[in-house]
Amino acid sequence: MSILVIAEHDHAVLKAATLNTVTAAAKIGGPIDVLVAGSGCAAAAQAAAALAGVARVKVADAAHYAEQTAENLAALVVANVSGYTHILAPATTFGKNLLPRVAALLDMAQISEICGVESPDTFVRPIYAGNALATVKSADAVKVITVRTTGFDAVGQGGSAAVEAIPAGPDLGLTQLVGRELTKSARPELGAAKVIVSGGRGLASGENYHALLEPLADKLNAALGASRAAVDAGFVPNDYQVGQTGKVVAPQLYLAIGISGAIQHLAGMKDSKVIVAINKDADAPIFQVADYGLVGDLFQLVPELTAAL
Amino acid sequence: MKVLVAVKRVIDYNVKVRVKADQSGVELANVKMAMNPFDEIAVEEAVRLKEAGIATEVVAISCGATHCQEQLRTALALGADRAILVETDAAQTENLQSLAVAKLLKAVCDKEQPQLVILGKQAIDDDANQTGQMLAALLGWPQATFASKVVVADGKTTVTREIDGGLETLSIRLPAVVTTDLRLNEPRYATLPNIMKAKKKPMDVLKSAELGVDIAPRLATLKVVEPAKRQAGIKVADVAELVAKLKNEAKVI
């Protein structure tokens, strides 16, 4: 058995999700190699080499990996798959975009968003927006897997893996990046934050969302999230969305404000350590998962809470 | 330009899913079924491309048993011109996995030669999020997943994608595969006259065996269980009590 983990990185640093993915690889067992494909990505490769349990880091450094397009990366992974029994990537927009392409080129199934490892060929994954957990067994020669980051802890440091350059694959020239508009924020990343302040339709408008939740998030050094209803209503962009169709998070503290608790939202946050709900409807389903519920008018309670911290 | 849209029949998103007592799956008998919501967005986008004079024909396609014709009729009522059902038998339908569907769609694309294939980014039953990417790989076409804006011009499509941390805009050569995210559009409702008209639109039924692809399942589902329930906590009286609990009991602030 031998595992290849596809690193998600920005050429300089590894994305946190890569660390959870290496932990999932360690649970499967066998030597773990990490593939870092990028442009000027030596620093990211060094960071991968320092992860506990990593045997080798393979680096493909070329200009056509700068934008991390699925087409070019999939071709590279497929060219380097020989000898591996498992290929893993984080179930982030990066991994979800790339890995099914790899799987199809290899004529292998993909096992999406595993949250548990039963054995080297058997995995647990959520289906129906987390309303059920399926245990699936793969008969394929190469198991192609995306990893739900909240299902596994981040791997520690302390490794000293060999870093080995590998030849770049072809530039297929199918895709051109026009631009990226990343939400600029001094706040922690939603997927990695210890505290998340999340708002729903109860906030009634985008202005209220920002006016009420930002000061609270500042106090708690929290990331900001939202329910799908708040995103659908246009309060905040989609990358704020917590839920089955958005991000799945598991912070130490999750504050759900004006969120009723639709099943698809609960699927994205119910693994949080402590959940606080503030909602005017005492019967809202969010209170069935909240450790601490506060029933009342959020327009009064949120500023009060911000002031009390 | 011909646009193909793939639609999947799934449990209606309003239905509370129940796991079967024998842990073999979820209860599907007598449950309301509907078109996968992300696929509705795909149909809407294709129809808008036609209304804008960019697409000349919108073909809806589904893979599965006979009753998938209901969802194809919905696509026709929303504005698709014709429909294709790739029919599988009952046993195959129960375990029709993403790779198999991608292979069936590829075979249909080889016949139909669309310039653009639009699919939902994931189906709300198995939540796999694979079929579009797999289809693009099998066709050797570029892909733009999780689209929130699609512009087609001059043999290319410019797609804005929802990525972690923001948005990314790609310019990709046609033919291409696009998968839809939530904010791409708001699907219309089918009007009664359009539902009536949809009944007269053409629907071809192909047997999956005629397409000559291997659709045997690669993954075996050993069991399906309900996730552990989270215990409801307590209600606090006011902000002061909440802050005290978070500090002293939960110790998270």
Side-chain angles (χ1 to χ4, degrees):
Chain A
M1 243 177 1
S2 184
I3 302 172
L4 183 67
V5 171
I6 318 292
E8 180 176 0
H9 60 87
D10 66 0
H11 311 284
V13 295
L14 291 176
K15 293 284 170 78
T18 305
L19 277 55
N20 308 86
T21 308
V22 171
T23 300
K27 288 223 165 130
I28 294 168
I32 302 166
D33 291 355
V34 176
L35 174 67
V36 178
S39 172
C41 58
Q46 286 304 328
L51 297 179
V54 173
R56 280 185 303 179
V57 176
K58 296 190 168 182
V59 189
D61 203 320
H64 58 273
Y65 299 133
E67 317 304 357
Q68 302 281 293
T69 59
E71 293 81 355
N72 284 342
L73 289 178
L76 176 72
V77 175
V78 168
N80 286 282
V81 79
S82 172
Y84 292 108
T85 54
H86 296 73
I87 302 175
L88 271 63
T92 54
T93 52
F94 165 81
K96 289 176 180 177
N97 186 42
L98 169 64
L99 223 56
R101 195 166 177 112
V102 171
L105 292 173
L106 295 172
D107 194 25
M108 303 289 163
Q110 178 182 286
I111 307 150
S112 295
E113 297 216 27
I114 64 162
C115 58
V117 175
E118 299 272 295
S119 77
D121 65 2
T122 305
F123 308 92
V124 181
R125 58 177 304 266
I127 55 173
Y128 289 95
N131 282 305
L133 290 173
T135 304
V136 295
K137 184 179 167 123
S138 166
D140 281 333
V142 181
K143 278 76 175 164
V144 180
I145 295 167
T146 61
V147 175
R148 179 169 277 206
T149 55
T150 55
F152 301 90
D153 294 332
V155 74
Q157 305 289 311
S160 54
V163 178
E164 179 184 307
I166 59 167
D171 180 3
L172 300 173
L174 294 170
T175 306
Q176 222 185 342
L177 181 78
V178 178
R180 273 198 191 120
E181 248 178 86
L182 297 182
T183 311
K184 286 196 184 60
S185 167
R187 297 182 199 289
E189 201 188 322
L190 192 53
K194 288 201 165 56
V195 182
I196 295 174
V197 174
S198 209
R201 194 155 35 192
L203 286 153
S205 75
E207 292 78 45
N208 291 340
Y209 177 98
H210 292 290
L212 284 169
L213 300 195
E214 277 180 5
L216 178 59
D218 286 343
K219 276 269 175 90
L220 291 164
N221 188 28
L224 283 171
S227 68
R228 177 168 164 179
V231 172
D232 277 350
F235 298 177
V236 287
N238 190 48
D239 61 312
Y240 280 55
Q241 191 198 150
V242 172
Q244 184 68 12
T245 57
K247 286 197 186 61
V248 178
V249 299
Q252 294 289 305
L253 175 59
Y254 188 92
L255 291 109
I257 295 166
I259 292 177
S260 62
I263 203 80
Q264 96 91 22
H265 184 75
L266 301 183
M269 47 65 84
K270 66 183 164 45
D271 293 330
S272 306
K273 184 160 173 273
V274 175
I275 296 173
V276 170
I278 300 179
N279 202 302
K280 64 171 190 254
D281 175 10
D283 296 324
I286 191 76
F287 289 118
Q288 289 163 23
V289 300
D291 298 283
Y292 303 110
L294 187 49
V295 180
D297 178 13
L298 67 91
F299 293 97
Q300 181 202 329
L301 294 171
V302 173
E304 226 179 277
L305 177 60
T306 307
L309 290 167
Chain B
M1 182 178 84
K2 187 192 283 187
V3 180
L4 208 74
V5 275
V7 302
K8 184 175 183 183
R9 175 183 171 92
V10 297
I11 291 188
D12 186 277
Y13 77 100
N14 286 313
V15 170
K16 171 116 179 69
V17 172
R18 285 213 312 274
V19 171
K20 283 190 200 168
D22 66 359
Q23 301 193 337
S24 63
V26 303
E27 196 54 70
L28 292 176
N30 302 316
V31 168
K32 187 180 176 214
M33 303 296 280
M35 190 193 298
N36 178 40
F38 288 104
D39 301 347
E40 274 184 38
I41 296 173
V43 173
E44 176 68 32
E45 195 64 18
V47 171
R48 286 187 192 187
L49 285 171
K50 182 163 184 207
E51 288 168 347
I54 296 163
T56 49
E57 187 183 28
V58 175
V59 183
I61 171 168
S62 190
C63 302
T66 313
H67 50 217
C68 295
Q69 291 192 20
E70 291 168 24
Q71 280 64 47
L72 287 171
R73 288 288 168 207
T74 305
L76 295 171
L78 293 172
D81 297 297
R82 61 188 173 91
I84 301 171
L85 172 65
V86 178
E87 197 175 54
T88 53
D89 64 37
Q92 289 170 329
T93 304
E94 200 166 300
N95 217 341
L96 195 60
Q97 296 172 356
S98 303
L99 182 62
V101 173
K103 287 180 179 180
L104 292 172
L105 294 177
K106 196 241 174 208
V108 173
C109 285
D110 288 344
K111 287 188 182 186
E112 292 281 337
Q113 300 283 319
Q115 284 294 294
L116 185 62
V117 182
I118 312 180
L119 309 87
K121 75 167 179 179
Q122 75 192 68
I124 60 165
D125 49 4
D126 60 12
D127 287 321
N129 195 332
Q130 301 175 5
T131 307
Q133 297 89 314
M134 287 181 156
L135 175 62
L138 297 176
L139 290 164
W141 292 0
Q143 67 187 47
T145 50
F146 325 143
S148 64
K149 190 179 175 198
V150 176
V151 179
V152 179
D154 308 324
K156 285 184 171 177
T157 175
T158 305
V159 179
T160 303
R161 304 179 55 231
E162 307 265 1
I163 58 169
D164 291 331
L167 297 171
E168 170 182 281
T169 304
L170 295 177
S171 169
I172 63 176
R173 207 176 73 188
L174 296 175
V177 173
V178 169
T179 76
T180 62
D181 216 321
L182 276 182
R183 290 195 303 170
L184 180 58
N185 59 50
E186 204 168 306
R188 69 195 68 188
Y189 291 99
T191 61
L192 189 58
N194 285 340
I195 292 169
M196 299 312 286
K197 262 191 250 167
K199 291 182 179 166
K200 297 202 180 90
K201 288 184 178 176
M203 167 123 40
D204 292 330
V205 179
L206 304 172
K207 296 286 181 196
S208 61
E210 293 167 26
L211 295 174
V213 300
D214 172 18
I215 58 168
R218 306 294 189 82
L219 304 175
T221 300
L222 303 185
K223 66 171 178 183
V224 174
V225 298
E226 267 187 50
K229 285 246 184 322
R230 199 183 167 101
Q231 295 295 318
I234 55 159
K235 295 244 170 72
V236 291
D238 52 27
V239 165
E241 189 186 349
L242 175 62
V243 173
K245 293 273 187 203
L246 290 177
K247 275 191 178 142
N248 305 326
E249 195 174 272
K251 297 187 168 60
V252 286
I253 57 170

